[in-house]
Amino acid sequence: RLGRGRPTDAMQEDTMLEPRPRMAACNSASEAVQHSTARQRVLVVDDDRRMASSLAQWLCSNGWHAQAVGTPEEAILALGRHRYDHCLLDADLPAGGATRVGSILRSTWPEARLIAMTDMTVKPAGAAQPVTRSLQADCVLAPPVADAAVLAALTAPPAATAGDVRSKPAGAGRFLGESPAMRHVLEIVDRIAATPATVLLTGESGTGKSLLAREIHRRSQRADRRLVEVACGSLSESLLESELFGHVAGAFTGATTAREGMFARADGSTIFLDEIATATPAMQVKLLRVLQDFEFEPVGGGEPHQVDTRVILATHEHLETLVAEGRFRADLFWRINVITIELPALRNRSEDILPLAESFLEPLQAKAGRQLIGFTDAAQECLTAHSWPGNIRELLHAVERAAFLGRGPTIDRCDLPAAVVTGASQPRHTAVGAGGESLRDRLANPERQLILDTLRRHDWRRDAAAKALGINRATLYKKAKRLGVELAGLGRGPAAPA
C-alpha cells in the first residue's frame, strides 16, 4: 500500500525493534529526523504482515522504536504492555478491528497520534472522511503514499482544535460508530455542532441519545462550558419548573433563599432536556416561551432573565403521535423540530457492537480488579448475533456482568448473560430473499464467485487477478479473507484449492 520496495522477512511479532545504528552517509535532514524521534515508539497494525514488518523495519532505520502486529487482538495486547507515541493503523481491518484498536489507543494512551492507512482514495466528500471520523484519526494516508508522507505524518505537531480528543477529560464517554447509519448521524453532527440550532434526538431507549447530546456539545463552540442535563421524567411539574427556571426566596414553603435554575446555569453553554415527551401541558407552555425568546422568570416572580443557551432535547416516543392525540402541543413540537436526528437501534448497526463492547472494557478494569484485553471468538459471535432489545444500555450491562464474573484477561461466551447466549442461538430478524438467504449473504455470494472465477482465469496469480479486478493485492487479500476464499494455494498454479 505504501509503495515500498521488496519487503523484508517477517519480524517476530512480539519483539520491539531497536533503531539501527546511523550510517555515516546519512544526510542532515535524515539525521534531524532521527534526533527528533529518539526513544519514540510506533505500533504498526496491518493484517498484511509482510507490509507491517517492512514498514516497521523501515521506521527503525529512521530512528523509531517500531513494532509490527497483524491482528486487532495483538495490537490490544501490545498497547497494554508498552506506551506508544504513534500508531500506524490499517483502517480497513475487518469486523470493525480498526475502530476497536483506535478506541483502546485513545483510552490507554490519549496523547498518542493515530494515523489511519487506507486503500480508499482521499476526496473532499469521499470515503476517507468517514474513516477519519469513525477512527477519530489525526491523519489519513491513502495511496499513493511516499516515505516522505509517512515521516510528515509522524513528525507533524499535534493539531489543537476544540474537538480534539486530547482536550477531553480522561475517562469521559465517546460516541462510537462506523456503520453506515451511524456515519450518517455523525455527518449531520459535523454540520450542526458549531451552530446554535435546536436539536431533537429520537430513537429507542438505550440507543445513546444522552451520549450523542454530549458529543454535539463537545464539538460545539460552547465546549469550554459545562453541559447542563435535565431528566424531565424524573421530576414532578412543580419541582421541574423550579429546577429549570429557579425560584426567588419565599416562592413556596421551604424556599428560604433564592435558587438559580438550569437555564441560568446553561447561559453561554448547552442544556439537554431528556425525555421531553413527559413534560405536562403547563410545563410545555413555559418551555415554548423560553425556546422562542430565551427569556424566563423564576418561580415566584422577579425580573425576566435573558439567556444565550443552545437547546438539545431527546425522546423515545413519537411526538407526532402525541400531537395527534392532543398530549403534546403542536406549536412546541414545531418549535423543537428544527433539526431531528434519529438514532438507529443497535440491532440495525451490528458493525458497531464489538467496537462499543471493547470501549466499555478499559473503564471497567479498575472496578473488576483485573486486566481486560478483549473477547474470545465465541464471545464475539454471541455479541454480534444477539438482537439487543435494550440497545447500548443492555450491551453495557452485559459487558459489566462479564467483567465482574469472568476470569482471566479475555471475556468468553460463558461469562455473558444467559439471555445474550440464548438470544444468539435464535435466528436474527434480518432481510431475507426468496431463497431464505440474508441480504448480506446475497450480496456477498456474487462477489465471492467473481473473485474465484478471476483467480482461476489467471492461474491463481494474485497480482494478475487483482489487476483484472481493478484492485490492489492487499485489497484482494482482505476481500478474500472476509468472503472465505482460501488463499493458501495462491501462486502455486491451478491445483490450489477453490
Side-chain angles (χ1 to χ4, degrees):
R1 175 172 44 241
L2 297 178
R4 247 169 288 289
R6 183 175 174 224
T8 60
D9 292 336
M11 56 174 281
Q12 290 186 357
E13 297 154 14
D14 198 32
T15 303
M16 181 69 67
L17 298 181
E18 296 296 328
R20 297 175 181 173
R22 298 178 190 172
M23 304 298 292
C26 287
N27 58 38
S28 58
S30 176
E31 290 177 353
V33 168
Q34 288 182 334
H35 178 72
S36 66
T37 60
R39 295 183 297 278
Q40 289 199 0
R41 295 176 184 264
V42 183
L43 180 64
V44 182
V45 188
D46 196 321
D47 56 359
D48 187 332
R49 292 181 182 272
R50 290 175 61 83
M51 179 66 72
S53 177
S54 175
L55 180 54
Q57 295 279 7
W58 177 79
L59 288 171
C60 288
S61 69
N62 281 274
W64 276 274
H65 297 259
Q67 179 181 2
V69 295
T71 67
E73 291 72 24
E74 292 172 357
I76 293 170
L77 282 172
L79 291 172
R81 293 179 181 142
H82 302 286
R83 176 189 63 80
Y84 289 92
D85 303 287
H86 313 272
C87 179
L88 287 163
L89 176 62
D90 179 8
D92 304 318
L93 291 175
T99 302
R100 290 162 52 202
V101 174
S103 64
I104 295 297
L105 176 74
R106 291 305 197 194
S107 61
T108 307
W109 308 113
E111 298 300 322
R113 175 179 284 122
L114 177 59
I115 301 170
M117 304 182 295
T118 176
D119 290 328
M120 294 179 288
T121 304
V122 176
K123 298 179 181 179
Q129 290 182 343
V131 169
T132 307
R133 181 163 52 249
S134 63
L135 289 179
Q136 298 159 353
D138 300 294
C139 178
V140 173
L141 299 179
V145 176
D147 294 347
V150 179
L151 291 178
L154 289 171
T155 58
T161 63
D164 200 313
V165 69
R166 294 172 181 80
S167 65
K168 191 156 182 69
R174 299 286 303 185
F175 196 82
L176 301 176
E178 66 170 10
S179 61
M182 288 313 304
R183 288 183 181 180
H184 176 67
V185 167
L186 291 172
E187 182 180 353
I188 297 175
V189 170
D190 281 344
R191 295 178 182 177
I192 58 92
T195 72
T198 299
V199 182
L200 176 62
L201 307 179
T202 64
E204 296 178 9
S205 294
T207 50
K209 294 185 289 295
S210 60
L211 194 59
L212 183 58
R214 295 174 199 140
E215 182 72 7
I216 295 173
H217 176 70
R218 188 186 69 82
R219 298 189 187 194
S220 73
Q221 298 175 348
R222 303 167 184 259
D224 58 334
R225 302 288 300 274
R226 183 176 179 179
L227 173 70
V228 177
E229 300 186 46
V230 183
C232 298
S234 64
L235 300 172
S236 64
E237 180 178 351
S238 58
L239 190 55
L240 178 59
E241 184 178 2
S242 175
E243 284 291 319
L244 289 178
F245 308 125
H247 61 256
V248 299
F252 49 84
T253 303
T256 56
T257 59
R259 180 180 179 183
E260 186 179 53
M262 295 292 190
F263 270 96
R265 295 178 198 173
D267 192 11
S269 184
T270 305
I271 189 169
F272 173 49
L273 304 177
D274 197 9
E275 294 303 339
I276 188 61
T278 62
T280 63
M283 181 55 59
Q284 293 177 32
V285 173
K286 295 177 181 180
L287 283 174
L288 179 61
R289 178 190 174 190
V290 72
L291 293 178
Q292 285 178 337
D293 305 324
F294 288 93
E295 181 180 280
F296 63 91
E297 294 178 1
V299 177
E303 293 296 323
H305 290 265
Q306 284 276 347
V307 290
D308 173 21
T309 303
R310 203 259 183 85
V311 180
I312 303 176
L313 311 97
T315 180
H316 72 277
E317 300 190 54
H318 295 285
L319 292 184
E320 297 93 332
T321 302
L322 298 184
V323 170
E325 295 174 351
R327 296 163 52 195
F328 199 85
R329 293 183 62 95
D331 48 3
L332 178 59
F333 171 70
W334 295 119
R335 181 63 189 84
I336 65 178
N337 192 30
V338 179
I339 296 174
T340 299
I341 302 177
E342 181 175 3
L343 275 74
L346 189 56
R347 61 182 173 276
N348 296 328
R349 39 181 291 215
S350 58
E351 301 96 324
D352 298 332
I353 293 174
L354 290 181
L356 284 167
E358 293 280 2
S359 72
F360 297 151
L361 290 181
E362 194 275 335
L364 288 172
Q365 292 191 97
K367 296 180 181 179
R370 63 191 180 98
Q371 185 183 25
L372 298 169
I373 62 173
F375 300 84
T376 64
D377 291 342
Q380 291 184 28
E381 291 178 4
C382 286
L383 292 175
T384 54
H386 186 50
S387 60
W388 300 108
N391 294 297
I392 298 175
R393 186 178 294 116
E394 182 189 2
L395 175 62
L396 172 59
H397 293 166
V399 175
E400 283 182 336
R401 178 191 184 278
F404 292 133
L405 297 182
R407 298 178 180 178
T410 57
I411 291 176
D412 202 357
R413 174 191 176 101
C414 60
D415 302 326
L416 298 172
V420 174
V421 176
T422 303
S425 65
Q426 303 299 322
R428 293 285 300 271
H429 295 287
T430 55
V432 295
E437 292 180 302
S438 69
L439 177 61
R440 179 177 296 181
D441 290 339
R442 291 178 65 83
L443 293 174
N445 287 337
E447 185 178 14
R448 181 179 187 276
Q449 191 60 46
L450 176 62
I451 291 176
L452 283 171
D453 291 344
T454 306
L455 287 169
R456 291 190 183 101
R457 286 201 311 271
H458 292 85
D459 296 327
W460 301 93
R461 297 194 307 274
R462 184 187 302 186
D463 287 335
K467 184 176 180 180
L469 290 168
I471 57 179
N472 57 36
R473 282 168 51 98
T475 301
L476 174 61
Y477 172 80
K478 293 183 179 69
K479 286 181 175 292
K481 185 177 180 180
R482 174 173 60 84
L483 297 169
V485 177
E486 178 60 56
L487 293 178
L490 286 183
R492 294 205 298 242

